[in-house]
């Protein structure tokens, strides 16, 4: 397919469009009765089981989707990404987040240079620095150990690390590693969020990690200046160098800010913000919280493993033992999926299958939303041609049974919204109560197994009549079913599995973008709002400081700005520093 050709002009796309009418004549309660079909729609890799049998699709549908992938040259595009070609054409950049979790001896090139040694140089620096902080060798300005970390960043510099941290917080091994330590995140520029991030913290024991590639991100730098003031007010300006470090490539601005450039951790322009959690963006704060240690010992002798500052005596050990730290397990899990993504055939490739099914649901069946994670919101092709079809999804979700009490009414009896159910075999924190029918985790998983069937099969008026439901209630209690979902079953939720899950969804997004013919790796859509906010910022400054009238805005915005300024007129035009008082 020529680069300027839209995927919707290809025969496989047109074939799928015609196939939609055939699928609309089917119902999942019938499709689910076909055991051979269901069995063929289960895929397992490295402990993860994918079941997509509850999708509105037949084996014929899947064959047509594979043909669409071929028409879009999916394999070629995946290989180009892994080979470091500049597939992010609007920014002339490679897309190499896979290099962030590559083994030390791997070779992945960008501009003809193997970037893996650079990645490991930063990882080694993070390992050394985090161990220095965690061991107490590096102390704050008053000599106290830095046990609390506030990571300041927004977008991908916040969401990815927060996702991993949230998942690890209840993992038993991670709990031991993090004992006595706190990790908090500050993203939103709202002063309430600043207050929440430092409530209960002592500047003497706090380390701030400022994450901004250019060190110019407006929200991040304002929050960073606020925390710098918080530290300086308590400990003096010279304390900044002891209590603040950076993840950035702009060493000039880092130094100007007051941070020692030696305490700046690099990442590269081939790392997209939304794909950066495996870089210093995520690895540094997570290592400070959970440790980044690898201990290797050889021989049949008594072995002491240093794990998160606890000692364990092991006897009769194998000839070679490797103990991976939390962070390396996370990276290794992601790398496992990276290799699966580039090597597995379509019909066995979990990220490819997820991506193809998303395209089927969005662009053919017309389902605009999916209960899960990311988005691919573009209206033009990678060549700038307007798309005559829908791309991207509206994503949302909830953990556990929370969704049943918020949006399950919608997905069962309202709009058709494809769902991803992600379950775990072994709980991080098992609870058993004597006398209960099932354990707490079994109760949770009962819903994991039941909800997909409820969505798929539904409940008919005939069934309700047999149950003697009052006639006037039958329309309200009828469930149409035929609502697609897929299930991912993970063996556990340790660092390795978290890395796998992250990589699966990263690559799913790439598959969607490769087939839709869009750029999944730039984000121009966020720029206009930022630009307009700059104009508003200038106006607020001018109106407060110089009492200048509001000019250059439409009637609605002018009215709102006027109301805002009038209602906050008690704020002095040149206020002295005021920090949160919680």
């Amino acid at each position: 397919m020529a680069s300027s050709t839209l995927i919707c002009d290809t025969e496989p796309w047109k074939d799928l469009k015609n196939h939609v009418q055939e699928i609309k004549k089917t119902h999942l309660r019938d499709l689910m009765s076909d055991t051979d079909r269901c069995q063929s729609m289960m895929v397992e890799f490295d402990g993860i089981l994918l079941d997509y049998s509850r999708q509105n699709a037949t084996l014929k549908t899947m064959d047509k989707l594979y043909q669409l992938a071929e028409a879009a040259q999916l394999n070629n595009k995946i290989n180009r990404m892994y080979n470091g070609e500049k597939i992010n054409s609007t920014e002339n950049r490679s897309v190499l987040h896979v290099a962030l979790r590559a083994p030390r001896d791997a070779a992945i090139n960008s501009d003809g240079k193997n970037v893996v040694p650079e990645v490991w140089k930063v990882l080694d620096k993070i390992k050394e620095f985090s161990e220095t902080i965690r061991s107490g060798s590096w102390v704050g300005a008053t000599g106290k150990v830095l046990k609390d970390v506030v990571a300041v960043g927004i977008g991908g510099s916040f969401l990815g690390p927060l996702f991993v941290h949230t998942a690890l917080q209840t993992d038993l091994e991670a709990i031991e590693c993090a004992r006595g330590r706190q990790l908090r995140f500050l993203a939103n520029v709202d002063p309430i969020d600043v207050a929440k991030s430092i409530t209960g913290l002592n500047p003497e024991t706090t380390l701030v990690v400022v994450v901004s590639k250019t060190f110019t991100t407006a929200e991040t730098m304002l929050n960073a200046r606020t925390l710098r003031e918080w530290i300086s007010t308590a400990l003096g300006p010279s304390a900044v160098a002891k209590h603040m470090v950076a993840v950035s490539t702009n060493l000039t601005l880092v130094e100007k800010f007051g941070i020692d450039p030696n305490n700046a951790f690099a990442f590269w322009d081939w790392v997209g913000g939304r794909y950066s959690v495996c870089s210093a963006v995520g690895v540094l704060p997570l290592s400070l919280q959970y440790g980044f240690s690898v201990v290797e010992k050889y021989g049949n002798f008594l072995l002491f493993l240093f794990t998160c500052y606890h000692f364990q005596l092991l006897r009769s050990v194998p000839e070679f033992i490797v103990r991976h730290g939390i962070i390396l397990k996370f990276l290794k899990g992601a790398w496992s999926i990276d290799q699966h993504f580039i090597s597995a055939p379509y019909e066995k490739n979990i990220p490819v299958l997820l991506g193809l099914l998303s395209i089927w649901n969005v662009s053919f069946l017309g389902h605009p939303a999916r209960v899960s994670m990311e988005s691919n919101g573009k209206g033009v092709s990678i060549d700038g041609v307007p798309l005559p079809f829908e791309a991207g999804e509206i994503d949302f979700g909830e953990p556990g049974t929370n969704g049943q009490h918020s949006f399950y009414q919608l997905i069962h009896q309202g709009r058709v919204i494809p769902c991803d159910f992600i379950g775990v075999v072994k709980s991080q924190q098992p609870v058993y109560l004597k006398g209960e029918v099932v354990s707490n985790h079994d109760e949770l998983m009962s819903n994991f197994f039941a909800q997909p069937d409820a969505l798929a099969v539904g409940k008919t008026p005939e069934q309700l009549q047999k149950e003697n439901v009052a006639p006037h209630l039958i329309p309200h209690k009828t469930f149409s079913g035929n609502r697609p979902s897929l299930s991912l079953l993970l063996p556990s939720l340790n660092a390795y599995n978290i890395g796998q899950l992250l990589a699966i969804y990263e690559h799913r997004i790439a598959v969607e973008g490769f087939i839709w013919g869009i750029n999944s790796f730039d984000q121009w859509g966020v720029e206009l709002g930022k630009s307009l906010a700059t104009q508003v910022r200038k106006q607020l400054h001018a109106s407060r400081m110089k009492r200048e009238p509001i000019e250059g805005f439409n009637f609605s915005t002018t009215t709102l700005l006027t109301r805002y300024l009038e209602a906050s007129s008690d704020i002095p035009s040149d206020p002295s520093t005021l920090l949160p008082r919680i």
Side-chain angles (χ1 to χ4, degrees):
M1 185 177 67
S3 61
S4 59
T5 302
L6 293 177
I7 188 65
C8 61
D9 294 328
T10 64
E11 288 305 315
W13 183 282
K14 295 174 184 176
D15 192 22
L16 278 163
K17 276 291 186 183
N18 294 330
H19 180 60
V20 168
Q21 296 306 315
E22 184 179 335
I23 289 298
K24 286 186 175 180
K25 296 176 183 177
T26 66
H27 195 289
L28 279 171
R29 69 172 65 99
D30 300 317
L31 294 177
M32 292 295 295
S33 65
D34 184 343
T35 302
D36 290 338
R37 170 190 171 275
C38 293
Q39 188 173 18
S40 68
M41 290 184 169
M42 292 186 178
V43 175
E44 188 167 6
F45 172 74
D46 198 12
I48 294 179
L49 176 64
L50 166 65
D51 175 8
Y52 63 96
S53 60
R54 295 177 187 83
Q55 291 285 314
N56 293 119
T58 62
L59 298 182
K60 185 177 178 181
T61 309
M62 299 311 299
D63 286 339
K64 292 178 183 298
L65 286 170
Y66 301 147
Q67 292 170 24
L68 182 69
E70 286 298 318
Q73 301 180 9
L74 177 60
N75 271 333
N76 178 54
K77 291 176 180 177
I78 293 172
N79 286 325
R80 289 181 62 209
M81 181 175 81
Y82 277 65
N83 290 336
E85 293 186 40
K86 295 184 178 180
I87 62 172
N88 180 357
S89 57
T90 62
E91 296 177 309
N92 195 32
R93 292 175 179 174
S94 301
V95 177
L96 282 179
H97 45 278
V98 295
L100 300 173
R101 49 260 191 156
R104 197 182 291 268
D105 59 355
I108 299 176
N109 293 323
S110 177
D111 289 325
K113 180 182 178 182
N114 183 9
V115 300
V116 176
E118 294 180 26
V119 170
W120 274 95
K121 183 179 179 180
V122 174
L123 290 177
D124 289 338
K125 182 178 178 179
I126 291 173
K127 177 176 181 286
E128 180 182 0
F129 179 76
S130 61
E131 289 177 352
T132 301
I133 294 290
R134 288 168 58 84
S135 67
S137 299
W138 175 302
V139 293
T142 61
K144 292 185 177 181
V145 173
L146 301 176
K147 62 182 182 64
D148 306 312
V149 173
V150 179
V152 182
I154 199 165
S157 299
F158 153 67
L159 294 170
L162 177 63
F163 155 69
V164 179
H165 176 53
T166 301
L168 286 175
Q169 276 181 306
T170 47
D171 176 73
L172 289 175
E173 183 182 0
I175 288 172
E176 285 302 309
C177 293
R179 196 169 295 281
R181 306 192 63 82
Q182 289 189 74
L183 173 59
R184 299 183 184 181
F185 293 90
L186 174 57
N188 190 5
V189 77
D190 191 326
I192 297 300
D193 290 71
V194 177
K196 288 179 179 179
S197 73
I198 60 175
T199 296
L201 296 187
N202 181 353
E204 293 180 278
T205 61
T206 300
L207 178 70
V208 175
V209 179
V210 183
V211 184
S212 174
K213 182 182 289 187
T214 62
F215 233 60
T216 59
T217 309
E219 305 98 320
T220 296
M221 296 317 300
L222 178 55
N223 281 336
R225 291 192 296 272
T226 303
L227 293 194
R228 181 180 62 183
E229 187 67 26
W230 176 64
I231 290 169
S232 298
T233 300
L235 307 176
S238 62
V240 171
K242 277 284 190 178
H243 289 262
M244 299 188 80
V245 298
V247 177
S248 178
T249 56
N250 194 333
L251 297 185
T252 301
L253 289 185
V254 166
E255 185 172 20
K256 186 177 180 181
F257 185 88
I259 295 174
D260 186 342
N262 292 319
N263 297 327
F265 298 80
F267 62 117
W268 305 269
D269 65 3
W270 42 260
V271 181
R274 286 167 287 178
Y275 300 84
S276 63
V277 64
C278 294
S279 71
V281 166
V283 173
L284 177 58
L286 292 168
S287 295
L288 289 165
Q289 179 70 0
Y290 298 106
F292 189 155
S293 60
V294 179
V295 180
E296 300 179 342
K297 297 289 180 180
Y298 296 84
N300 286 315
F301 53 85
L302 294 179
L303 173 66
F304 288 87
L305 283 180
F306 293 77
T307 308
C308 310
Y309 309 111
H310 293 274
F311 299 92
Q312 181 181 9
L313 181 61
L314 303 180
R315 296 179 183 274
S316 303
V317 296
E319 188 68 25
F320 174 61
I321 289 184
V322 180
R323 176 67 175 180
H324 288 281
I326 294 286
I327 304 306
L328 282 186
K329 286 182 180 177
F330 166 67
L331 297 176
K332 188 178 179 184
W335 180 249
S336 165
I337 297 298
D338 293 341
Q339 295 307 292
H340 167 69
F341 179 48
I342 197 173
S343 62
Y346 294 155
E347 65 274 11
K348 296 293 183 182
N349 194 311
I350 292 176
V352 167
L353 289 167
L354 296 184
L356 290 173
L357 290 167
S358 287
I359 289 165
W360 173 238
N361 283 317
V362 172
S363 297
F364 295 94
L365 298 183
H367 304 320
R370 170 167 53 86
V371 181
S372 65
M373 295 167 71
E374 241 269 24
S375 276
N376 234 337
K378 297 290 168 66
V380 298
S381 74
I382 198 166
D383 302 303
V385 180
L387 298 179
F389 56 85
E390 295 296 333
E393 300 152 315
I394 304 164
D395 294 325
F396 60 97
E398 270 291 326
T401 54
N402 289 357
Q404 292 182 194
H405 302 277
S406 54
F407 54 77
Y408 273 37
Q409 172 64 48
L410 172 67
I411 67 176
H412 277 287
Q413 291 184 312
R415 299 188 181 194
V416 176
I417 301 174
C419 300
D420 292 4
F421 290 93
I422 303 172
V424 177
V425 174
K426 294 183 179 179
S427 173
Q428 293 174 325
Q429 298 287 330
V431 173
Y432 307 97
L433 298 179
K434 188 175 181 180
E436 291 289 337
V437 176
V438 294
S439 69
N440 294 46
H441 189 64
D442 281 351
E443 178 66 27
L444 171 69
M445 294 302 289
S446 295
N447 290 276
F448 170 81
F449 296 117
Q451 290 293 345
D453 280 341
L455 288 166
V457 177
K459 197 165 190 177
T460 66
E462 292 75 19
Q463 290 173 305
L464 293 168
Q465 289 171 358
K466 290 179 180 178
E467 295 175 3
N468 295 317
V469 173
H472 72 283
L473 290 177
I474 286 178
H476 301 282
K477 292 192 172 187
T478 296
F479 292 78
S480 64
N482 207 32
R483 294 164 184 260
S485 69
L486 57 85
S487 302
L488 276 170
L489 187 59
L490 280 63
S492 62
L493 199 60
N494 58 28
Y496 184 86
N497 303 134
I498 295 166
Q500 289 180 305
L501 191 62
L502 173 86
I504 284 172
Y505 278 88
E506 284 182 341
H507 294 319
R508 175 189 203 157
I509 297 304
V511 170
E512 293 174 9
F514 288 154
I515 292 178
W516 276 323
I518 62 177
N519 190 346
S520 303
F521 309 107
D522 63 12
Q523 45 184 338
W524 300 108
V526 306
E527 296 302 322
L528 178 58
K530 288 182 180 180
S531 175
L532 294 178
T534 299
Q535 297 176 33
V536 175
R537 188 183 305 119
K538 291 177 180 178
Q539 179 67 64
L540 289 173
H541 175 77
S543 295
R544 289 200 192 278
M545 299 291 289
K546 305 174 185 177
R547 304 299 177 186
E548 292 184 5
I550 297 170
E551 295 178 339
F553 298 93
N554 59 47
F555 175 80
S556 176
T557 303
T558 299
T559 302
L560 289 171
L561 279 171
T562 301
R563 174 66 64 89
Y564 176 71
L565 287 166
E566 288 176 350
S568 59
S569 59
D570 57 330
I571 296 176
S573 59
D574 189 16
S576 56
T577 296
L578 177 66
L579 294 172
R581 292 168 290 179
I582 295 179

